[in-house]
């Protein structure tokens, strides 16, 4: 079915290559009719196929990489991320326009997500927005963002509390629970406290009831962590973690079977977090994954 789909959606030389792949199973006449090309044009292409230019060889390599990455990562790499990956893994350089054209010829599309943000506010102890949308950090564990998101399955709902290091966008801690109470946040905080946090590290959240309670504030104060909160109903003040949740749901949750068990879901999330931290390249990190970017920074400090 995949091979047939290429014949319907591709154009130009991609159609000819698809016909060549299928001509042992179907007649060339039928394949040419489905692809909308003439038999004579196909045989002319096949005759001159042996003498390809350097650019055609490059395009063939690009096509192979696009198909490979699209299948490996379930279509989560868009044009610019594919462009960055190919430039880092080939001896030639390409721009995003060339990648887009080849993707269109192959009929390859990345996942498109619609961003929507919801502000939350609760009665409790609210502190100032110390972070103040300064999403730049000079070193790891200096500025952290935390939030909770809801994951609805058919038979249950899971809540995920996650913490992102603004320095390299790494998810340094997360926890899952069937309720979104303070107990979920405590489990995550216990993990954070094990890290060698920078002096006067900032931990930024929204005004969710889990983060405005007296116990939460006391736990941060005792460890010298500076508490920061978004303004009421303003999701943009905590956009780094909101962006992560957007990718997380588009690239994993929305693709899952909603009838799976809690244990299977937890394993899938664990695998995605590992992928996000160790494999998923980010353009703002010079085409590196969060962990690779941090490793490069740490190595530069040793020199």
């Amino acid at each position: 079915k995949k091979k047939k789909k290429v014949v319907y959606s591709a154009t130009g030389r991609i159609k000819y290559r698809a016909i060549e792949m299928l001509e042992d199973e179907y007649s060339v006449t039928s394949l040419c009719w489905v692809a909308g090309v003439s038999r004579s044009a196909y045989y002319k292409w096949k005759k001159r196929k042996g003498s390809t230019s350097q650019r055609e060889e490059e395009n063939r390599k690009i096509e192979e990489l696009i198909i490979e990455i699209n299948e490996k990562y379930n279509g989560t790499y868009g044009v610019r991320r594919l462009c960055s990956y190919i430039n880092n893994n080939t001896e030639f350089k390409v721009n995003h326009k060339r990648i887009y054209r080849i993707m269109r010829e192959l009929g390859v599309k990345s996942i498109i997500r619609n961003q929507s943000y919801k502000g939350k506010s609760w009665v409790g102890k609210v502190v100032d927005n110390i972070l103040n949308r300064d999403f730049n950090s000079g070193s790891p564990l200096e500025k952290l963002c935390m939030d909770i998101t809801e994951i609805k399955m058919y038979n249950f709902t899971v809540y995920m509390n996650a913490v992102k290091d603004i320095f390299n966008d790494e998810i340094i801690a997360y926890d899952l629970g069937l309720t979104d109470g303070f107990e979920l946040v405590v489990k995550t905080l216990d993990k954070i406290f094990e890290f060698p946090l920078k002096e006067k590290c900032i931990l930024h959240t929204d005004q969710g009831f889990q983060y405005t309670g007296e116990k939460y504030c006391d736990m941060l104060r005792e460890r010298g962590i500076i508490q920061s909160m978004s303004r009421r109903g303003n999701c943009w003040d905590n956009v780094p973690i909101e962006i992560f949740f957007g990718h997380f749901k588009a690239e994993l949750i929305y693709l899952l079977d909603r009838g799976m068990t809690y244990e299977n879901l937890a394993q899938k999330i664990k695998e995605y977090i590992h992928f996000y931290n160790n494999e998923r390249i980010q353009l703002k990190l010079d085409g590196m994954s969060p962990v690779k970017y941090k490793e490069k920074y740490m190595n530069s400090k040793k020199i």
Side-chain angles (χ1 to χ4, degrees):
K1 289 184 178 179
K2 281 188 177 179
K3 291 180 180 178
K4 288 183 181 179
K5 186 178 179 182
V6 174
V7 178
Y8 280 102
S9 60
T11 58
R13 68 184 183 285
I14 311 299
K15 288 184 177 181
Y16 299 140
R17 289 178 60 188
I19 294 171
E20 187 178 42
M21 291 167 62
L22 298 172
E23 65 179 338
D24 291 336
E25 302 176 41
Y26 307 95
S27 70
V28 173
T29 301
S30 299
L31 290 171
C32 288
W33 179 81
V34 171
V37 298
S38 65
R39 291 177 74 253
S40 60
Y42 167 66
Y43 284 117
K44 284 182 181 178
W45 169 83
K46 197 169 183 180
K47 185 176 181 180
R48 66 173 183 269
K49 190 183 66 168
S51 56
T52 56
S53 66
Q54 180 180 347
R55 186 174 180 84
E56 288 173 330
E57 290 295 332
E58 290 178 359
N59 286 341
R60 182 172 297 181
K61 178 65 176 177
I62 294 169
E63 291 165 7
E64 292 173 354
L65 285 172
I66 288 176
I67 293 172
E68 176 187 339
I69 296 303
N70 190 66
E71 291 181 354
K72 182 178 180 181
Y73 297 126
N74 297 317
T76 58
Y77 272 32
V79 173
R80 295 188 181 276
R81 189 167 285 112
L82 277 170
C83 184
S84 177
Y85 180 90
I86 290 171
N87 282 329
N88 289 333
N89 290 275
T90 59
E91 64 280 4
F92 51 86
K93 300 298 179 183
V94 298
N95 60 34
H96 67 280
K97 294 181 180 178
R98 188 173 176 187
I99 298 298
Y100 174 72
R101 176 177 56 78
I102 294 176
M103 286 178 68
R104 187 174 58 185
E105 290 177 348
L106 288 170
V108 171
K109 292 183 179 180
S110 61
I111 295 171
I112 299 175
R113 61 191 178 92
N114 295 320
Q115 297 184 359
S116 61
Y117 300 100
K118 296 180 180 180
K120 296 181 281 185
S121 61
W122 308 88
V123 176
K125 185 176 180 180
V126 177
V127 301
D128 293 335
N129 183 6
I130 305 298
L131 189 61
N132 197 27
R133 296 194 188 180
D134 182 8
F135 303 130
N136 296 302
S137 178
S139 60
L141 303 174
E142 179 183 49
K143 298 177 181 178
L144 311 176
C145 286
M146 179 164 64
D147 198 7
I148 294 177
T149 193
E150 183 182 74
I151 304 168
K152 290 187 176 181
M153 308 301 283
Y154 288 149
N155 300 320
F156 57 89
T157 298
V158 173
Y159 298 92
M160 177 181 182
N161 187 56
V163 183
K164 175 190 269 192
D165 187 344
I166 292 179
F167 170 74
N168 64 332
D169 284 355
E170 180 181 0
I171 301 302
I172 63 170
Y174 79 94
D175 275 285
L176 304 175
L178 296 176
T179 60
D180 62 346
F182 179 62
E183 295 77 12
L184 176 63
V185 175
V186 170
K187 290 194 297 182
T188 312
L189 287 179
D190 287 339
K191 293 178 180 178
I192 297 173
F193 295 154
E194 294 178 1
F195 286 95
L197 302 177
K198 286 288 184 180
E199 185 178 357
K200 296 183 179 180
C201 170
I202 297 175
L203 178 54
H204 185 85
T205 66
D206 59 19
Q207 295 184 24
F209 71 90
Q210 304 91 342
Y211 310 127
T212 57
E214 185 176 351
K215 290 184 179 180
Y216 173 83
C217 299
D218 289 342
M219 291 178 72
L220 299 191
R221 190 183 307 109
E222 289 171 2
R223 289 161 178 81
I225 298 174
I226 299 175
Q227 189 178 1
S228 175
M229 282 187 183
S230 302
R231 290 165 293 178
R232 183 173 180 177
N234 196 322
C235 61
W236 296 102
D237 288 345
N238 201 15
V239 75
I241 194 70
E242 296 284 1
I243 289 175
F244 163 72
F245 283 143
H247 289 302
F248 165 70
K249 291 189 175 181
E251 297 173 2
L252 177 69
I253 301 303
Y254 297 152
L255 305 179
L256 293 177
D257 173 11
R258 294 306 177 96
M260 66 169 46
T261 65
Y262 178 89
E263 290 74 19
N264 288 339
L265 174 63
Q267 180 61 32
K268 290 289 185 183
I269 292 175
K270 180 180 179 180
E271 292 170 359
Y272 179 82
I273 297 296
H274 181 273
F275 155 72
Y276 184 88
N277 286 337
N278 294 274
E279 296 184 47
R280 190 181 187 279
I281 63 175
Q282 299 195 31
L283 301 180
K284 62 176 283 188
L285 301 180
D286 299 329
M288 290 179 275
S289 69
V291 170
K292 288 291 184 184
Y293 185 81
K294 183 171 66 176
E295 288 175 353
K296 181 180 178 181
Y297 169 83
M298 299 304 291
N299 290 334
S300 67
K301 290 298 180 181
K302 295 178 182 179
I303 299 175

